[in-house]
Amino acid sequence: MRIVIQRVSSASVSVDGTLISEIGQGLLVLVGVENGDTDDDCRWLAAKTAALRIFDDENGVMNKSVVDVGGRILAVSQFTLTASTRKGNRPSYIRAAGHDLATRLYEMYVAETSRLLQRDTLTGRFGADMQVALTNSGPVTIIIDSRLRE
């Protein structure tokens, strides 16, 4: 699994012009699931997301997690994170997980982050054409791949 985490002061998702999710301070997380990804990958990423210390403490040092600051998470499925651009200029999505695996692991990620935050993780709409708006705070953007575990 690959995720892109963006520290935000606000973020929202709309589908067909209708707002479906919105958060203030927290994390916008784009979630991509690849063939071969497992429940363990999902749990590891959820734990890493909740514990990642990328919010400022009282000294202006990134030393607090989304849990510590009482922030929210907005998780949006994004199969394009699995793109390969090795050949030519048209990305290949051959590594993207099929619908059943992708849906299950995305929903598991949402459930796990909700459990760790002790509040609901908000979502986009899986498989929909979404409009995502955000104000990146910092900017802070971090990419994590569960297969690299770094």
Side-chain angles (χ1 to χ4, degrees), residues 85-147:
T85 58
R86 183 171 299 202
K87 295 181 182 177
N89 294 319
R90 184 170 183 242
S92 168
Y93 303 104
I94 194 77
R95 297 187 306 215
H99 184 269
D100 291 345
L101 177 62
T103 303
R104 186 175 69 74
L105 289 181
Y106 169 70
E107 290 174 354
M108 181 182 184
Y109 177 84
V110 169
E112 281 291 305
T113 54
S114 295
R115 182 182 67 77
L116 293 165
L117 264 66
Q118 298 183 338
R119 64 192 317 184
D120 287 342
T121 291
L122 301 181
T123 65
R125 184 172 299 149
F126 190 91
D129 182 12
M130 297 174 274
Q131 291 74 51
V132 179
L134 69 135
T135 302
N136 190 318
S137 177
V140 175
T141 302
I142 296 174
I143 301 168
I144 305 175
D145 188 320
S146 64
R147 295 180 187 187

Side-chain angles (χ1 to χ4, degrees), residues 2-21:
R2 290 181 183 172
I3 60 174
V4 174
I5 298 173
Q6 297 183 78
R7 185 180 75 179
V8 298
S9 55
S10 65
S12 64
V13 176
S14 298
V15 176
D16 296 327
T18 301
L19 180 69
I20 62 168
S21 291

Side-chain angles (χ1 to χ4, degrees), residues 15-35:
V15 176
D16 296 327
T18 301
L19 180 69
I20 62 168
S21 291
E22 183 175 34
I23 64 170
Q25 180 185 37
L27 302 174
L28 171 65
V29 183
L30 306 175
V31 181
V33 181
E34 292 184 307
N35 290 316

